[in-house]
Amino acid sequence: ETRAIAKFVFNKDKSFDEVSRATGNTVGELMGLNRDLMGSPLIPANTPVKYYTDKKFNAVADDLSLGV
């Protein structure tokens, strides 16, 4: 079974935990999709982050300054 994947760009540095809450994905799911970003505790601003789209975004995304 395949899952739909999309990319988002945050306009501020974010931890995997913050991105997890914003996208509804688990930290493990995000790490599996973004292995190239695991070398640092923070995901740099303006870096595309892959996430599974079958999870709903929640209100935390607004608080995290989710960019396009």
Side-chain angles (χ1 to χ4, degrees):
E1 180 178 320
T2 60
R3 296 174 69 185
I5 297 170
K7 292 181 186 179
F8 253 84
V9 175
F10 291 85
N11 58 12
K12 295 180 181 177
D13 292 355
K14 300 292 176 198
S15 68
F16 274 97
D17 189 53
E18 289 173 307
V19 175
S20 171
R21 288 193 309 268
T23 61
N25 284 216
T26 66
V27 171
E29 288 171 326
L30 293 171
M31 292 175 126
L33 290 171
N34 299 281
R35 294 177 193 267
D36 56 325
L37 301 178
M38 292 176 48
S40 173
L42 292 177
I43 299 168
N46 303 312
T47 300
V49 179
K50 295 179 214 165
Y51 69 97
Y52 290 113
T53 60
D54 57 350
K55 309 271 183 147
K56 288 185 177 181
F57 268 48
N58 58 38
V60 176
D62 293 330
D63 296 334
L64 293 176
S65 302
L66 187 61
V68 289

